[in-house]
């Protein structure tokens, strides 16, 4: 077991072989490659990932398909190769959540994260020729 002394969650024990690995880092944080998925204290669609390399950085993620039924993206062949995915392997799509001071939550749908559960690899990509935005507001109900 290793320990991160995070600024948001305090001391976090984790197993290095169970971290979420971004081989290319997150966009804007290319130097951050390892994250711990934080256990959820409350049920809901949001969860945190905590950087192993920078204890001050953590991000909120969610499955965007629960909010945007028409959001359908998938990794291309090169992205699948980077994730180590075979033909029939599962790949989940996640989005970074932003909660600004005015609490108008947005999702970054222009740069989804592809996650390969079989090996805990993840890749954030920038979609080309998309109408989705980096700060897509949640739909109004």
């Amino acid at each position: 077991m290793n320990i991160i002394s995070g600024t948001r969650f305090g001391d976090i024990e984790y197993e290095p072989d169970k971290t979420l690995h971004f081989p290319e880092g997150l966009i804007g944080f290319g130097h951050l490659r390892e994250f711990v998925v934080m256990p959820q204290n409350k049920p809901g669609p949001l969860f945190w990932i905590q950087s192993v390399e920078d204890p001050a950085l953590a991000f909120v993620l969610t499955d965007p398909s629960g909010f945007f039924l028409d959001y359908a993206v998938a990794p291309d062949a090169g992205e699948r190769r980077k994730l180590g995915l075979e033909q029939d392997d599962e790949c989940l799509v996640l989005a970074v959540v932003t909660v600004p001071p005015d609490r108008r939550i947005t999702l970054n749908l222009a740069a989804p994260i592809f996650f390969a559960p079989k090996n805990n690899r993840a890749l954030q990509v920038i979609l080309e020729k998309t109408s989705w935005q980096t700060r897509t507001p949640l739909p109004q109900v």
Side-chain angles (χ1 to χ4, degrees):
M1 283 283 198
N2 288 359
I3 295 177
I4 305 167
S5 293
T7 57
R8 179 174 302 275
F9 302 107
D11 289 345
I12 303 163
E13 289 186 5
Y14 70 97
E15 296 181 39
D17 62 334
K18 293 186 177 174
T19 60
L20 181 58
H21 178 67
F22 287 80
E24 298 179 354
L26 285 168
I27 295 171
F29 301 94
H31 61 294
L32 302 178
R33 308 276 169 110
E34 303 296 328
F35 289 84
V36 173
V37 178
M38 299 301 299
Q40 288 185 283
N41 293 329
K42 295 186 259 183
L46 308 178
F47 63 97
W48 287 89
I49 58 171
Q50 167 68 56
S51 170
V52 170
E53 292 101 339
D54 185 342
L57 283 177
F59 298 92
V60 179
L61 303 181
T62 194
D63 174 354
S65 67
F67 301 99
F68 298 92
L69 301 178
D70 58 339
Y71 187 70
V73 297
D76 64 22
E79 293 158 348
R80 290 185 69 81
R81 191 172 40 259
K82 289 177 184 177
L83 290 167
L85 292 172
E86 301 292 329
Q87 179 71 24
D88 296 326
D89 289 338
E90 180 181 32
C91 181
L92 304 177
V93 178
L94 302 170
V96 176
V97 178
T98 301
V99 183
D102 67 4
R103 313 287 281 167
R104 294 183 181 177
I105 298 171
T106 62
L107 305 184
N108 184 350
L109 298 181
I113 295 171
F114 297 128
F115 168 56
K118 84 168 195 178
N119 59 16
N120 278 342
R121 287 183 142 225
L123 185 69
Q124 187 176 28
V125 300
I126 297 173
L127 299 178
E128 295 181 19
K129 299 177 183 175
T130 182
S131 60
W132 296 109
Q133 302 171 359
T134 57
R135 293 182 185 225
T136 305
L138 289 179
Q140 299 295 316
V141 280

